[in-house]
């Protein structure tokens, strides 16, 4: 019998009438992610997506790894199908697990029956299968609490499926079901995490990066692209915008009071980001800010940046400690890239004594020392875009 993968839905199950749309989006995302690995049939039934190879697949482990990064799936496992009768189920289960069982001391069989018309209850089937295994391999004992080997048998309307303990999926809801947002992506630890957190809630994420050559290097930009590529394993395809920001930074430095450098820069970033968002049908901004982490991330500072925003700004890291953000970045695989030591445009002109409790009027007055409108247009028009795909 051929191996297939069962993917269990998470929250999609709760989505009443909209559920079909969520399932379609999930199937689309799954298809894109595994298409390069071979031909598969995808079928959705009883809160489960069945991913069945239509040809010999050389690397089913890689298929699993990719599916573990698709938002909308809570649990997944490789399984083997059997006919819905005890003999067939036992035969399949025994041939799949014999070697493992021979080398183990304890096991248990767990049965789940969503097809209630099956002629045995779940405990009856578990006892029957367990009994037959013990007959063949009498050295084993049944351990319901800490077994070395667990065999799961699911009786579904499509057939019987045998697998071991399911792995955790990425959770969340499918990318593409919650609108489209533009992530301000730096080379740091926080913003990639913020992007993935929003993708986990269904947002299709694009990214925008501000570069300031020659103060920032080509390699710094490559690092950010590498981050976007890593993120795209979770977020799917990412449109990556690069904004030439040097002139703006130089004019801030030449004309504005130093204590407001960072805030003015962040307000101009927000302005340019939303212009790009508006041009491309994106309706929210996303940043990696965390309350109180640095001077520009106090509540008063955020009041001054949000004052220039016409669209919602999502800051999913806002209530997380640095340690919690780092844990998440490890998990999505961006941490190692984020800590590569390249300069960010933010850090090039950092004031020595930034204001932590700025007043909006003061920031506005400081920014008014120079008319940035032409430079903003120039930056928007000079923005380049690139498609980033995961594999
Ligand atoms: P991160 O680790 O995400 O860089 P940070 O703690 O270093 O965050 P800041 O450098 O103050 O914080 O930046 C705050 C947020 O501003 C970032 O999370 C990111 O969303 C955005 N940002 C900063 N620099 C850039 C940049 N060069 N291009 C795009 N967005 C940026
Ligand atoms: Mg940063």
């Amino acid at each position: 019998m051929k191996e297939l993968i069962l993917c269990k839905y998470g929250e999609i199950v709760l989505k009443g009438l909209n559920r079909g749309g969520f399932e379609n989006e999930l199937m689309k995302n799954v298809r894109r992610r595994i298409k390069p690995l071979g031909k598969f049939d995808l079928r959705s039934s009883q809160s489960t997506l069945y991913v069945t190879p239509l040809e010999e697949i050389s690397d089913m482990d890689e298929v699993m790894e990719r599916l573990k990064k698709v938002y909308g799936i809570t649990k997944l496992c490789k399984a083997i199908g059997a006919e819905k009768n005890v003999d067939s189920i036992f035969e399949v289960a025994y041939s799949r697990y014999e070697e493992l069982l021979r080398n183990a001391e304890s096991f248990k069989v767990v049965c789940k029956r969503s097809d209630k018309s099956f002629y045995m209850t779940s405990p009856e089937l578990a006892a029957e299968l367990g009994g037959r295994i013990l007959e063949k391999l009498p050295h084993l004992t049944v351990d319901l609490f800490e077994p070395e080997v667990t065999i799961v048998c699911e009786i579904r309307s499509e057939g019987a499926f045998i697998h071991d303990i399911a792995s955790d999926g990425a959770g969340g809801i499918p990318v593409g079901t919650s609108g489209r947002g533009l992530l301000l992506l730096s080379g740091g630890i926080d913003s990639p995490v913020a992007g993935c957190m929003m993708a986990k809630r269904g947002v299709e994420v694009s990214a925008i990066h501000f570069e300031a050559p020659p103060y920032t290097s080509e390699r710094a930009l490559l690092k950010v692209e590498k981050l976007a590529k890593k993120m795209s394993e979770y977020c799917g395809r990412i449109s990556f915008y690069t904004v030439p920001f040097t002139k703006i930074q130089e004019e801030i430095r030449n004309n504005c009071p130093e204590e407001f450098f960072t805030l003015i820069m962040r307000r101009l970033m927000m302005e340019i980001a939303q212009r790009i968002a508006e041009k491309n049908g994106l309706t929210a901004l996303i940043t990696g800010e965390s309350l109180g982490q640095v001077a520009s991330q106090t509540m008063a500072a955020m009041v001054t940046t949000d004052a220039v925003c016409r669209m919602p700004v999502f800051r999913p890291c806002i209530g997380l400690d640095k340690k919690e953000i780092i844990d998440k970045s490890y998990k999505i695989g961006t941490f190692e890239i984020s800590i590569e030591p390249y300069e960010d445009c933010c850090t090039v002109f950092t004031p020595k004594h930034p204001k932590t409790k700025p007043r909006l009027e003061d920031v506005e007055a400081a920014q008014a020392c120079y008319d940035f409108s032409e430079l903003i247009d120039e930056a928007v028009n000079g923005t380049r875009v690139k498609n980033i795909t995961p594999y």
Side-chain angles (χ1 to χ4, degrees), residues 182-194 207-212 216 224 241 243 245 249 262 265-266 269-270 286-290 293-297 314 317 322 325 338 343-347:
L182 182 58
L183 168 70
L184 282 83
L185 180 62
S186 67
I189 296 169
D190 307 336
S191 42
V193 170
I208 187 165
H209 178 69
F210 295 82
E211 60 164 0
T216 61
V224 182
Y241 299 90
V243 184
F245 204 52
Q249 286 208 292
T262 311
M265 183 195 71
R266 303 205 47 77
M269 278 185 175
M270 292 306 221
I286 303 162
T287 77
E289 288 161 301
S290 158
Q293 197 188 79
V294 291
S296 60
Q297 297 177 23
F314 294 135
C317 297
K322 194 76 191 186
I325 300 172
S338 291
E343 66 295 326
D344 182 62
C345 71
C346 276
T347 46

Side-chain angles (χ1 to χ4, degrees), residues 82-83 85-93 118 129 153 155 160 162:
E83 279 171 38
N85 63 67
V86 180
D87 289 339
S88 160
I89 294 170
F90 174 72
E91 229 168 82
V92 169
F118 187 70
L129 295 172
C153 172
I155 308 293
I162 293 122

Side-chain angles (χ1 to χ4, degrees), residues 300-358:
M302 286 182 202
V303 168
T304 72
T305 41
D306 275 5
V308 298
C309 292
R310 304 178 287 280
M311 53 178 66
V313 181
F314 294 135
R315 298 176 168 100
C317 297
I318 199 73
L320 298 180
D321 292 349
K322 194 76 191 186
K323 163 91 171 50
E324 293 169 310
I325 300 172
I326 288 175
D327 288 347
K328 285 185 188 295
S329 79
Y330 259 121
K331 225 168 149 186
I332 55 177
T334 51
F335 182 76
E336 297 296 334
I337 306 170
S338 291
I339 58 173
E340 288 175 17
Y342 297 111
E343 66 295 326
D344 182 62
C345 71
C346 276
T347 46
V348 177
F349 301 109
T350 311
K352 282 191 215 64
H353 303 289
K355 276 255 187 256
T356 53
K357 288 193 183 135

Side-chain angles (χ1 to χ4, degrees), residues 51-69:
V51 180
T52 313
L54 294 174
E55 58 187 14
E56 194 60 44
I57 301 295
S58 58
D59 197 351
M60 280 294 268
D61 289 337
E62 175 64 15
V63 179
M64 276 289 278
E65 284 316 303
R66 292 190 184 191
L67 293 177
K68 281 182 193 169
K69 297 175 181 171

Side-chain angles (χ1 to χ4, degrees), residues 246-316:
T246 312
K247 274 195 205 158
I248 290 184
Q249 286 208 292
E250 285 174 342
E251 295 309 344
I252 297 175
R253 183 193 54 192
N254 296 343
N255 298 286
C256 303
E258 180 180 332
E259 57 190 353
F260 294 114
F261 278 0
T262 311
L263 290 174
I264 295 168
M265 183 195 71
R266 303 205 47 77
R267 283 160 58 91
L268 292 168
M269 278 185 175
M270 292 306 221
E271 179 56 40
I272 293 166
Q274 63 195 330
R275 293 266 294 269
I276 299 291
E278 284 160 355
K279 260 171 85 170
N280 293 283
L282 313 169
T283 54
L285 300 180
I286 303 162
T287 77
E289 288 161 301
S290 158
L291 193 63
Q293 197 188 79
V294 291
S296 60
Q297 297 177 23
T298 62
M299 197 183 290
M302 286 182 202
V303 168
T304 72
T305 41
D306 275 5
V308 298
C309 292
R310 304 178 287 280
M311 53 178 66
V313 181
F314 294 135
R315 298 176 168 100

Side-chain angles (χ1 to χ4, degrees), residues 89-152:
I89 294 170
F90 174 72
E91 229 168 82
V92 169
Y94 191 72
S95 67
R96 184 169 168 91
Y97 290 103
E98 180 180 358
E99 202 184 313
L100 213 59
L101 289 166
R102 277 191 192 283
N103 295 311
E105 287 177 2
S106 62
F107 78 108
K108 81 169 169 183
V109 179
V110 179
C111 295
K112 297 176 192 164
R113 188 178 59 135
S114 51
D115 173 8
K116 299 293 180 199
S117 67
F118 187 70
Y119 59 94
M120 290 169 102
T121 64
S122 302
E124 281 167 0
L125 179 59
E128 177 65 27
L129 295 172
R132 291 194 190 193
I133 290 171
L134 283 172
E135 263 171 42
K136 293 257 192 196
L137 303 170
H139 76 281
L140 285 167
T141 54
V142 174
D143 182 343
L144 296 180
F145 301 103
E146 283 189 350
E148 271 178 64
V149 179
T150 300
I151 299 173
V152 183

